[in-house]
Amino acid sequence: MPSPAALLAKYTPAAVTAGRPLAVLGVDGVVVLEGEARVPARLEHLSARGKWVRDLQVPDGTREAVAHLARRYGIVWASEWGPNAHLALAGVLGLPAAPWPYLPVQFNKLAAIREYAAGRPWVWIDDPVVDLDPLPGEPGGVIVRVDPARGLAGLDLSVIDEAVFGPAA
């Protein structure tokens, strides 16, 4: 049987809706919190097809924030959760039945995001722990680092929309 790394190397993420900017989402520290939450949050019992189970905090307002992003952007996961992100979070976040694609990267995600975006506008929303290498001054898109004790609930999405779409987004 091939190793998990070999399987991921063969995975090619599906394209998302053309004509819309991309929102590339991390999971840990973005939609779920593992440490102390500095915002109201609820403990959720998460599982991906029963293969594993984790109890993690989901900040209040995360479902609405993800729904906002999904209305305006093509969503792509970029997380160590891989294909499990959509499976485990679908019920909690009200995600569509068809899984969003994922980029098979855990750290230093910028090159994979740029390649996947292929010139379209993008925003990458993640916690600060994912960058092992320094980020360039001009990354080619918008990078938003969240407070991992607040996640998406700590962001003003209108500021992100304006950075991606321009004023009066």
Side-chain angles (χ1 to χ4, degrees):
M1 177 168 188
S3 72
L7 291 173
L8 285 178
K10 294 178 182 178
Y11 168 77
T12 301
V16 294
T17 306
R20 294 187 346 183
L22 299 175
V24 182
L25 298 179
V27 175
D28 290 330
V30 179
V31 294
V32 299
L33 310 180
E34 294 192 57
E36 179 183 342
R38 284 192 236 132
V39 293
R42 65 192 177 286
L43 193 62
E44 295 286 351
H45 193 68
L46 302 173
S47 179
R49 294 191 183 122
K51 294 180 182 179
W52 54 262
V53 175
R54 292 175 73 186
D55 291 325
L56 295 168
Q57 298 176 86
V58 177
D60 294 353
T62 299
R63 182 182 183 124
E64 294 78 11
V66 170
H68 170 89
L69 293 170
R71 283 189 301 274
R72 306 215 60 193
Y73 303 84
I75 306 292
V76 182
W77 299 108
S79 165
E80 63 280 7
W81 287 49
N84 293 322
H86 201 91
L87 293 171
L89 296 166
V92 172
L93 298 178
L95 303 180
W100 291 330
Y102 67 94
L103 301 179
V105 293
Q106 182 174 357
F107 296 108
N108 295 331
K109 302 172 185 181
L110 185 57
I113 292 167
R114 286 172 158 168
E115 182 179 339
Y116 184 78
R120 26 188 326 193
W122 54 266
V123 58
W124 172 25
I125 304 170
D126 217 331
D127 73 340
V129 179
V130 299
D131 303 315
L132 301 179
D133 293 333
L135 292 171
E138 293 294 326
V142 177
I143 298 175
V144 178
R145 291 294 174 249
V146 302
D147 176 342
R150 297 179 187 280
L152 279 177
L155 298 179
D156 181 343
L157 296 180
S158 66
V159 171
I160 293 170
D161 289 343
E162 186 170 320
V164 175
F165 292 98

